[in-house]
Amino acid sequence: MAYVLFYLPPEEGAELLGLAVRAGREVLAADFKLPERNLELPACLLARGLLGAWPGLWPGTRGGTALTAFLARGGLEGLVLRAGLHVSSRRPLLGGAAVLLGLNRGESVRTGAGA
């Protein structure tokens, strides 16, 4: 699942993630996230600016509304918490503007490139 969850209302996104994890042992989900370090800030700002430049891409009338609301709720990781899932792996994407998460119902967590 890649860069689609931010379009959905939070309840639908959490339900979709939950259904995907129940159907498979592990799900890979990639979507936008909040910057966690100063080094990720330029990539996050660039991604938001580029996505906001295409108003027709968004489900609302104002460009960037869906992404702004998604990020205000914690981005992909906030959605994962809402769905009650566990992160088994985490990889930064787009210079830190996004993240690829391995999700399951277990409890193991691996981070970084060496995971």
Side-chain angles (χ1 to χ4, degrees):
M1 299 171 53
Y3 305 103
V4 55
L5 295 168
F6 76 92
Y7 281 113
L8 301 174
E11 299 79 23
E12 289 180 26
E15 184 177 345
L16 179 60
L17 279 177
L19 287 171
V21 169
R22 282 191 293 277
R25 291 177 64 171
E26 181 134 10
V27 171
L28 296 177
D31 219 316
F32 298 102
K33 70 176 196 70
L34 295 170
E36 296 172 10
R37 302 175 305 189
N38 288 344
L39 294 174
E40 295 173 341
L41 193 56
C44 290
L45 292 174
L46 180 62
R48 289 182 78 173
L50 289 175
L51 290 171
W54 292 296
L57 183 68
W58 304 100
T61 56
R62 290 179 21 220
T65 302
L67 180 60
T68 301
F70 182 73
L71 291 175
R73 293 185 304 269
L76 179 57
E77 301 212 28
L79 196 58
V80 168
L81 287 174
R82 174 178 237 133
L85 301 174
H86 297 278
V87 177
S88 61
S89 63
R90 178 181 286 113
R91 304 270 191 248
L93 300 174
L94 302 175
V99 65
L100 175 66
L101 298 178
L103 306 173
N104 62 40
R105 292 186 281 177
E107 294 187 11
S108 63
V109 177
R110 296 178 307 212
T111 60

